Structures are given as C-alpha cells and as structure tokens.
Amino acid sequence: MISDLYFIYDSHCPWSYAATPVVNALSEAYPEMNIHTMHCAHFNGSDSAGKDQVDAVLKLSAVKFGKEHIRYVNSPKNAIKTANLMAWMQNKQPDKMLPVLNALQKSHFVDGNPLDCKHDFTNILEQFKLSPSNKVFRDELSSDAEYILADIGEMQEMIGTTAFPVLLLSTEDKGVFIDHSLYLGQPQAVVEAVKQELS
C-alpha cells in the first residue's frame, strides 16, 4: 500500500529540526512512501524561537546545536529564501527534498548559517547540484511557496491546528496524525507505531 507522509515544518524552527529525524526514520523504513515536505514560512525576520525553545528541544531530542547558532539564538530568523528554495525543489527535484532539508538544517542549527542571502546557500546548491533561479533568493515568498502555504492552510483546517511541525500519514482509506513529540528522543520508534497503523 503506497502511502503519503506530509511534513509541515519551518526550516528555522528548532522543533521542526528535532522532528526531521522522525521523518528520516520513516523514509528509510518505507522507501516507497511519498514524502511531502511543506515549508510553512513562519519565520519572516521578525522573531526567533529563542533560547528557551532550544533548551527544551535539547532536553527531549537527540539533535545538536552548534555554538554559533546558540550565540545568535535570540536574533530574528528569516526562512523566506529557504521556503522559496524548497518550493522550487518540489517542482523541479522532489526526490532531493529530504536530503536537502537535512543539509539546510545542519547548516543552520549546527554550523550557525543564517540562510538569509543567496551566498549562504552556495555550498548546499553545489553539493546537491541545484540551480534555482535568482527569484528564489528574493525577500518575499515566491508564487510556488504561496501555493504550498495555501495547501498547508487547507490541511490545517482539516486537522484543526495551525501548530507546526505536523506529521500526517495518508493512505488510500485513512489519514493518521503522527504525534512526533513521542519520538523526538528515539526517532526509530516511530517505525513500529506506523507499522501498526498501516496493518
């Protein structure tokens, strides 16, 4: 049974970063699963998750944060260009979205890269052989990113929450909300839970 996993996240959100290993575990266990990473573009340069949220993530998950990220943890974050890049990828190279998201999050949270100008993306673009248009690196959301936000809005209405990150598993006959918070400390544990849901 082919299933779809929808992951609503923000690349600059520490909780989304902690939830990504849960998505990775499902991707490895179910290579045939269609994974849709949907950037909600919450961080627009006006605020940040802050130190308290990072501390909470550290307590509950196995992800690491680098010194540079911690140093600027309370500075406003801007995920607009990352949202544009991920939307571009959804249309052009969807098979690379999860590996690129992992690389972007490592770059941001471990290496302290703000991912706020085109130059900040150079290494990742070269590593994954990506050549997005310059429109991706503008300061406003692209039309592709706006379409994804509209899709996210519909999903949020359906599940009754605007909170993120969200993991939603959809099969031919049902939709299952996966509580990622149960698996932050042991991402592999989600595989058994999903196996039971699918059986």
Side-chain angles (χ1 to χ4, degrees):
M1 177 191 307
I2 296 291
S3 50
D4 291 84
L5 181 69
Y6 296 89
F7 179 36
I8 300 173
Y9 70 98
D10 185 297
S11 56
H12 289 46
C13 161
W15 293 108
S16 297
Y17 171 49
T20 301
V22 178
V23 179
N24 292 336
L26 288 170
S27 175
E28 287 165 25
Y30 297 99
E32 75 287 356
M33 182 184 284
N34 300 312
I35 296 179
H36 310 273
T37 60
M38 304 174 79
H39 200 305
C40 68
H42 171 81
F43 290 103
N44 59 9
S46 63
D47 65 346
S48 71
K51 186 163 186 336
D52 290 348
Q53 286 195 46
V54 166
D55 288 344
V57 168
L58 281 168
K59 279 191 189 113
L60 294 173
S61 78
V63 295
K64 306 269 187 277
F65 293 88
K67 286 180 185 161
E68 276 303 288
H69 183 77
I70 298 297
R71 197 167 131 201
Y72 296 104
V73 72
N74 292 317
S75 302
K77 307 290 182 257
N78 191 332
I80 298 293
K81 293 174 182 73
T82 310
N84 289 344
L85 175 64
M86 295 305 281
W88 174 85
M89 288 193 63
Q90 186 164 316
N91 289 331
K92 303 290 187 190
Q93 295 188 293
D95 55 313
K96 291 183 180 177
M97 287 186 73
L98 190 55
V100 168
L101 175 59
N102 278 279
L104 289 165
Q105 287 176 323
K106 180 189 176 293
S107 183
H108 182 66
F109 291 105
V110 178
D111 304 334
N113 182 344
L115 298 173
D116 198 22
C117 67
K118 184 177 181 180
H119 175 73
D120 293 343
F121 293 86
T122 303
N123 289 344
I124 288 169
L125 297 180
E126 287 173 359
Q127 179 186 344
F128 290 96
K129 299 179 173 49
L130 305 174
S131 51
S133 72
N134 283 329
K135 287 189 287 194
V136 162
F137 301 105
R138 290 189 183 150
D139 287 325
E140 67 270 346
L141 286 172
S142 65
S143 53
D144 288 341
E146 295 276 9
Y147 290 135
I148 290 168
L149 285 186
D151 290 344
I152 289 172
E154 286 176 22
M155 289 178 73
Q156 288 173 330
E157 207 168 291
M158 185 179 75
I159 59 178
T161 181
T162 57
F164 67 92
V166 167
L167 285 172
L168 195 63
L169 183 66
S170 169
T171 62
E172 290 157 12
D173 53 354
K174 63 179 175 177
V176 179
F177 178 76
I178 299 172
D179 185 351
H180 65 278
S181 68
L182 300 175
Y183 310 106
L184 295 181
Q186 289 186 300
Q188 288 299 326
V190 74
V191 175
E192 189 56 41
V194 165
K195 195 183 292 179
Q196 288 174 11
E197 283 290 350
L198 293 176
S199 61

